[in-house]
Structure formats: structure tokens, C-alpha cells
Amino acid sequence: MNRFKKLSIPYLVWMIIFTGIPLLLMVLFAFSTIQSFSAYTFNISEHSFTAANLSSLFSLVFVKAFGRSLLYACIATILALLLGYPIAYFISKSNFKHKYLFLLIFIMPMWTNMLLRIQTINNLLSANSFFTNVLGFTLDLSEAKALKIILVMTFVYLPFMIFPIYTVLEKIDKSIYEASNDLGAGAVKTFFKVTLPNSTKGIFSGVMMVFLPAAMGFTIPKIVTGEDPNYSMVGSLIERQFKSSNVMYNIGSMYSLIIIIFVLGSLYIISRIDEDGETLL
């Protein structure tokens, strides 16, 4: 195997350039007073190390955005679980010869541009949508912006809930179901005593795979609300720190650093629960 180690060098170089260096710069910005930065000349002006930027994490703006992100993501994750588990269960239990075609239905939208999917779902939940023009009824949620954000999140990230649950359900030994039936357990009791406990790894992985992008993204609230500050989430807040006329590299980096720590902690929990990677397709 040693002769194949050289093949990992391009990957290592790629990781250092596009992951390692940006992370180091983020830490540098988060604990400094940098006011300007040039990516072309690597010119960093007016810099000194400080821990004062930590106080920005307790600002009312960040606390509200972070709390709103967690709330919306939690609700979207619960809805995705309530929708995704029955779908995954139905596909895994179906007797169709080509059940993977059902999975393809959910995979195909993911082959399209994510912005296009978000905009499409957003339009369906707006006035003068496909439902209005073709079916004669409307699902206009333009005035209920919070609900609209949550529903768009739910449908965009729903496949990430279905796949890990389906994978775990497919790997459950069928003899367990036979044993349950032989012991006189009905379909309902078998589900709660056999199926559900044996699919907890898939559920947890699906929950984390939906929750993390839902809580940390900025595209959905930006498109749905038109950048309404009353519905800003933490991803939107970070974006504004880097794209506004008054760029704040240090504050934006501090926010981003906390999010990265939050994500890495969640991924560590997943790795401890699913050490064999059974929920990965």
C-alpha cells in the first residue's frame, strides 16, 4: 500500500490550499483588529491580536440571528423527519423490482442547481404560482415569511433525511421481522419494537444532515424574504459582514469560526454514533 501514498499528494496539496490556509486566515482575522485585506497581494493592514471580538458573540443581533436559525432549523428538521421516514419506510418495504427508481425521483432534483430549486419552491408558495395558474388555487405564504422559510428548507433538504433512513432500513436483517411475527407481534408492535429501534442511526444522521445546512445557510432566507433583516439567520449575518460597504473581516470570521466549531462538533457526534458509516450511501 505504501506505493500508493504518492497518489494522495495532490489531494493533500488541495486540502492545504483550499481548506487549511482559509481556516488559518479565519482564525487570524477572528482574533485581530484587521480592517482591510487584499487576497492578491496578501497585504494585511492595521492588525494587532486581540480577544475583544469575542464580545460580538453576545451582541443582540448575533444572539437573535443564531436563535432564529436554530428554531427554524429544528422545525424544518422535524417536518423533514415526519415526511422522510414514511417515504423511506415505504420504499424499503415495497416489493417493486426496481425500487431504486423511487429514490431516483428524490435524487433527480438534487442534480439541478440549488438556487433554481429554492426559487422554484419559493414561487410555488407565492401568489400567481403554478397552482394558481393551472390548478386554480393558491398557496400564497408571502405574509407568513417565517413559515415560508421553514417549508422551503424542509423540501430542499428532504432527500438528506430520506437517504440515510432508507439505507439503514434496507440493512435490517429480514429474519428479525420473521422472528417478531413468529412471536405474535403485529405490524404496529413490530414497527415500534424492531424497525424504529434499528433505524435510530439513520434517523440521527438524517437529522444532522438536514439540521446543519438548514441552520447555517443564508441562501433560503435571502431569496424567500428579499433580505428582510427581521428574518435574518446566522448565515445571512455572516454574509453581510463580508459583502457590506463596511466590511468587517474580524467580526465575520469570529461568527464563522463559531459555526465551524458547531459543525465539527456535530460531525464528531455522528462519527461516534455511526462508527461504521452504515448510514452513508
Side-chain angles (χ1 to χ4, degrees), residues 156-216:
V156 168
Y157 299 120
L158 181 60
F160 296 109
M161 181 67 73
I162 295 173
F163 297 154
I165 295 176
Y166 169 79
T167 302
V168 169
L169 291 175
E170 276 290 288
K171 292 180 179 179
I172 297 177
D173 191 347
K174 300 300 184 290
S175 63
I176 298 179
Y177 296 116
E178 296 175 359
S180 178
N181 292 330
D182 292 340
L183 292 173
V188 175
K189 192 171 184 179
T190 297
F191 174 79
F192 286 103
K193 294 293 185 179
V194 177
T195 307
L196 191 59
N198 281 281
S199 60
T200 51
K201 285 185 178 181
I203 293 174
F204 189 83
S205 294
V207 165
M208 299 307 295
M209 290 172 67
V210 171
F211 178 80
L212 290 177
M216 307 309 162

Side-chain angles (χ1 to χ4, degrees), residues 133-149:
N133 297 327
V134 178
L135 302 179
F137 69 92
T138 181
L139 291 175
D140 185 15
L141 297 177
S142 299
E143 299 301 322
K145 293 182 179 180
L147 177 59
K148 198 174 183 182
I149 292 173

Side-chain angles (χ1 to χ4, degrees), residues 212-224:
L212 290 177
M216 307 309 162
F218 67 90
T219 309
I220 292 177
K222 183 175 182 178
I223 291 177
V224 172

Side-chain angles (χ1 to χ4, degrees), residues 1-271:
M1 295 297 293
N2 291 332
R3 66 179 182 271
F4 294 110
K5 286 185 177 180
K6 293 182 178 180
L7 297 177
S8 65
I9 293 178
Y11 175 77
L12 181 62
V13 173
W14 178 278
M15 291 292 293
I16 291 174
I17 295 176
F18 294 102
T19 302
I21 294 177
L23 283 175
L24 289 176
L25 288 174
M26 186 182 299
V27 174
L28 173 65
F29 294 161
F31 293 96
S32 70
T33 57
I34 294 173
Q35 298 298 321
S36 62
F37 169 72
S38 173
Y40 300 100
T41 63
F42 291 96
N43 178 37
I44 299 176
S45 63
E46 303 178 23
H47 65 279
S48 62
F49 290 101
T50 178
N53 297 327
L54 286 170
S55 61
S56 63
L57 300 178
F58 302 97
S59 66
L60 186 61
V61 174
F62 179 78
V63 171
K64 281 186 175 181
F66 192 75
R68 190 180 296 116
S69 298
L70 296 181
L71 176 62
Y72 290 177
C74 283
I75 298 174
T77 302
I78 293 172
L79 291 176
L81 178 60
L82 294 176
L83 291 172
Y85 196 100
I87 294 172
Y89 182 82
F90 170 77
I91 297 175
S92 66
K93 292 297 181 182
S94 64
N95 294 321
F96 295 104
K97 183 178 181 180
H98 303 290
K99 62 175 65 177
Y100 288 103
L101 291 176
F102 285 96
L103 286 178
L104 185 63
I105 296 174
F106 297 97
I107 294 175
M108 286 181 66
M110 298 178 64
W111 293 345
T112 62
N113 185 277
M114 185 176 180
L115 291 176
L116 180 61
R117 284 186 285 134
I118 294 173
Q119 189 64 62
T120 301
I121 299 173
N122 180 50
N123 289 338
L124 290 176
L125 299 177
S126 303
N128 195 30
S129 65
F130 169 84
F131 296 123
T132 305
N133 297 327
V134 178
L135 302 179
F137 69 92
T138 181
L139 291 175
D140 185 15
L141 297 177
S142 299
E143 299 301 322
K145 293 182 179 180
L147 177 59
K148 198 174 183 182
I149 292 173
I150 292 170
L151 291 179
V152 173
M153 284 180 176
T154 301
F155 290 113
V156 168
Y157 299 120
L158 181 60
F160 296 109
M161 181 67 73
I162 295 173
F163 297 154
I165 295 176
Y166 169 79
T167 302
V168 169
L169 291 175
E170 276 290 288
K171 292 180 179 179
I172 297 177
D173 191 347
K174 300 300 184 290
S175 63
I176 298 179
Y177 296 116
E178 296 175 359
S180 178
N181 292 330
D182 292 340
L183 292 173
V188 175
K189 192 171 184 179
T190 297
F191 174 79
F192 286 103
K193 294 293 185 179
V194 177
T195 307
L196 191 59
N198 281 281
S199 60
T200 51
K201 285 185 178 181
I203 293 174
F204 189 83
S205 294
V207 165
M208 299 307 295
M209 290 172 67
V210 171
F211 178 80
L212 290 177
M216 307 309 162
F218 67 90
T219 309
I220 292 177
K222 183 175 182 178
I223 291 177
V224 172
T225 67
E227 300 189 70
D228 188 336
N230 294 321
Y231 298 91
S232 291
M233 297 172 64
V234 67
S236 306
L237 191 62
I238 293 173
E239 183 202 22
R240 285 202 297 271
Q241 300 301 317
F242 290 100
K243 296 185 67 176
S244 63
S245 58
N246 184 25
V247 178
M248 300 291 289
Y249 286 109
N250 45 9
I251 303 301
S253 296
M254 179 59 71
Y255 292 164
S256 301
L257 189 60
I258 295 301
I259 298 306
I260 287 177
I261 294 173
F262 184 82
V263 171
L264 291 178
S266 301
L267 294 177
Y268 174 76
I269 294 174
I270 292 177
S271 66

